[in-house]
Amino acid sequence: MSTTPATTEHDVVAVGCGPFNLGLAALASTVDGLDLVVLEERPELTWHRGMMFGDASMQVNFLADLVTLVSPSHPLSFLEYLHDMDRLYTFTVRENFFPSRREYEDYLRWAAARLPSVRFSHRVEEVHWDAGAERFTLDVVRGDGARLRMLARNLVLGIGTAPHVPEALAALPPSALLHTSDYLYRAEDVARAGKVTVVGSGQSGAEVVVDLLGRNLEGGPAVSWLTRTPSFAPLDYTRMVLEMTTPAYMQYFHSLPEEARDRLVGEQWQFYKGISTDTLDEIHELLYRRQLEHGLADVELRIGTTVEAARTETSGRTVLVCRHRDSGERFEHTTDLVVAATGYRNRAPAFMEPVDDLIRRDDRGRYKVRLDHSVELADGVTGRVFVANAEVHSHGVSAPNLDIGAVRNATILNAVTGRETYRLPKRSAFTRFDVPRGTA
């Protein structure tokens, strides 16, 4: 006998519970009269566990938490978490305002436990638009198998990005290939390999190299590091350059033509593909220490190298077909295990397929995203769909940054409530980015 799913109605349903939608729930929790829920298909909150090295630090300071940059006195701030955990004084004495990744994940779990609006083990199967009711309809399955139906005036998509493996490596068997997101989960495979090759750079790739060099110094595998970039370049975190990651620059970036935005994203790669100077220094120190030892397995670092194809030989070893970018010459590189430090890509949520024809896209198939982070929809659709961390092309390279999360969420809540629920920064940069208007 079939049963009708229980139906509930909400102002906002947010799908996915990473830091961005968790921050949305946190800010919404102090807004009277707003009914917002966050649905997450996993049974609990985890954050980059596959790269949770013991000494890994955040690259943004503690003020870039879920709420502080728009609501400094909020009860779910990082400072309130430290106070609740009785670590506020020791954190102050530490004089390092960059929390470890472990501590940041613990903060996120602490906040989630205080938000009844966050519902784990809730998987969204399909979303439809009900024009008559002017609501989105979400078919949801709970972890216990119960089916629910939720009606929402607004949706927020925050499902995160997926690990990306380029076509040149995609044909390798799982035994020969892993993504950095799974690195710590595959520790036994790393330990068994005679030679490990990291393909790609960026912070994740560099942290894997640090771990591999430490293993190498202890008699572990040979290490190779291949990257297309012309150098192992540092993150450009100088203060005046960081002004280009502010809300002020995000507004300016959004105002530019699509062609200009795409060009700028390519030029600004050091904002998000560079390596922290501390990590680069650590790599150099480990390489220096190797000079004092004898009999260690080889270490090889190569810049300006593109991997164009890969194959597995009958011996079980993997061969990478590479091209030296400066000379154009090709060569082969043999290894036992490949670690793809090749980043992440936005993923298209399958549950949105029933409303795909309502979504407006640009010439490259990307969502057309308004300044308030809502997606342009077909005429007559009165509901709104907002996106979190799916708008680099429209809002710039700061879109994935944790320090923009609170401002984006405040912008979304202001749009949903139709008022200035949270005051947004009026001037977040000293630099002026646009053309002067008017006469002198």
Side-chain angles (χ1 to χ4, degrees):
M1 179 179 175
S2 63
T3 58
T4 302
T7 301
T8 56
E9 186 169 345
H10 310 275
D11 296 315
V12 183
V13 173
V15 184
C17 187
F20 293 137
N21 273 353
L22 182 62
L24 181 70
L27 288 176
S29 68
T30 55
V31 178
D32 292 337
L34 180 65
D35 186 333
L36 177 146
V37 296
V38 176
L39 308 180
E40 169 57 54
E41 65 177 333
R42 295 173 299 173
E44 62 177 352
L45 190 151
T46 60
W47 190 68
H48 296 305
R49 289 280 176 91
M51 287 291 293
M52 195 69 76
F53 295 107
D55 58 350
S57 175
M58 299 292 292
Q59 291 172 272
V60 293
N61 68 52
F62 73 95
L63 293 176
D65 62 12
L66 299 174
V67 294
T68 294
L69 288 175
V70 294
S71 183
S73 60
H74 198 281
L76 292 177
S77 70
F78 185 79
L79 287 180
E80 184 62 32
Y81 156 77
L82 289 175
H83 182 263
D84 192 49
M85 296 289 110
D86 196 23
R87 289 207 307 274
L88 185 56
Y89 195 87
T90 53
F91 183 83
T92 302
V93 173
R94 178 174 177 251
E95 292 191 346
N96 179 350
F97 292 156
F98 294 82
S100 70
R101 285 193 201 142
R102 288 182 182 274
E103 187 170 33
Y104 185 75
E105 185 195 50
D106 192 62
Y107 160 63
L108 297 180
R109 293 167 67 89
W110 171 87
R114 283 155 179 76
L115 289 166
S117 60
V118 176
R119 303 176 187 181
F120 292 99
S121 298
H122 280 63
R123 177 171 56 85
V124 178
E125 284 194 326
E126 287 189 337
V127 172
H128 297 266
W129 170 246
D130 186 334
E134 296 189 324
R135 300 288 186 274
F136 291 102
T137 301
L138 294 86
D139 293 327
V140 181
V141 180
R142 285 194 328 211
D144 60 5
R147 305 188 71 85
L148 310 173
R149 177 158 292 163
M150 294 185 175
L151 307 181
R153 292 179 175 84
N154 304 277
L155 297 181
V156 181
L157 305 181
I159 61 172
T161 52
H164 172 70
V165 175
E167 186 178 349
L169 299 175
L172 290 177
S175 60
L177 174 70
L178 65 95
H179 191 271
T180 51
S181 59
D182 287 329
Y183 182 75
L184 292 179
Y185 297 128
R186 299 278 299 275
E188 292 183 4
D189 295 333
V190 173
R192 281 195 297 266
K195 181 177 182 179
V196 181
T197 298
V198 178
V199 175
S201 56
Q203 185 65 24
S204 295
E207 289 179 9
V208 167
V209 169
V210 167
D211 182 73
L212 290 171
L213 290 176
R215 292 170 183 262
N216 179 271
L217 274 167
E218 296 174 358
V223 180
S224 290
W225 190 11
L226 313 178
T227 177
R228 292 184 304 173
T229 56
S231 66
F232 295 111
L235 283 167
D236 197 341
Y237 268 25
T238 51
R239 285 176 174 81
M240 295 308 292
V241 171
L242 279 177
E243 296 223 319
M244 297 173 73
T245 67
T246 59
Y249 184 74
M250 181 177 279
Q251 292 172 17
Y252 163 73
F253 184 93
H254 188 273
S255 71
L256 296 173
E258 182 181 320
E259 207 173 282
R261 295 199 302 256
D262 288 344
R263 174 180 56 80
L264 286 170
V265 167
E267 293 174 355
Q268 296 169 357
W269 64 273
Q270 275 187 259
F271 285 163
Y272 60 103
K273 291 184 179 179
I275 304 164
S276 77
T277 53
D278 287 344
T279 305
L280 289 171
D281 289 346
E282 189 174 2
I283 289 171
H284 193 274
E285 179 65 22
L286 288 165
L287 292 170
Y288 185 84
R289 284 171 52 192
R290 290 187 76 258
Q291 298 178 118
L292 308 178
E293 305 294 337
H294 301 282
L296 298 177
D298 290 340
V299 168
E300 169 192 26
L301 278 66
R302 290 192 181 277
I303 58 174
T305 299
T306 299
V307 177
E308 296 187 329
R311 68 177 186 271
T312 303
E313 297 190 320
T314 54
S315 64
R317 303 205 79 194
T318 294
V319 176
L320 304 180
V321 181
C322 305
R323 179 171 57 85
H324 186 249
R325 293 171 68 88
D326 287 342
S327 67
E329 293 186 51
R330 284 178 168 78
F331 63 94
E332 292 190 344
H333 173 91
T334 303
T335 189
D336 297 306
L337 183 65
V338 176
V339 180
T342 47
Y344 299 78
R345 297 290 187 274
N346 288 321
R347 47 182 172 170
F351 58 80
M352 291 292 288
E353 288 179 5
V355 295
D356 191 66
D357 61 334
L358 302 179
I359 295 173
R360 298 289 182 249
R361 299 176 184 272
D362 64 18
D363 292 339
R364 296 174 61 178
R366 303 169 299 194
Y367 290 167
K368 288 187 175 181
V369 186
R370 300 185 182 94
L371 183 59
D372 66 0
H373 306 278
S374 66
V375 178
E376 292 186 24
L377 301 176
D379 294 341
V381 179
T382 56
R384 283 171 294 187
V385 176
F386 297 88
V387 291
N389 191 16
E391 71 274 48
V392 167
H393 63 287
S394 61
H395 286 67
V397 294
S398 61
N401 289 7
L402 292 173
D403 52 7
I404 207 69
V407 173
R408 173 171 49 214
N409 287 332
T411 302
I412 291 172
L413 291 174
N414 287 355
V416 167
T417 60
R419 64 180 189 276
E420 192 181 56
T421 301
Y422 285 101
R423 189 183 69 187
L424 298 173
K426 299 297 188 291
R427 186 176 180 186
S428 55
F430 295 112
T431 307
R432 301 294 176 89
F433 305 107
D434 56 358
V435 177
R437 303 299 178 189
T439 57

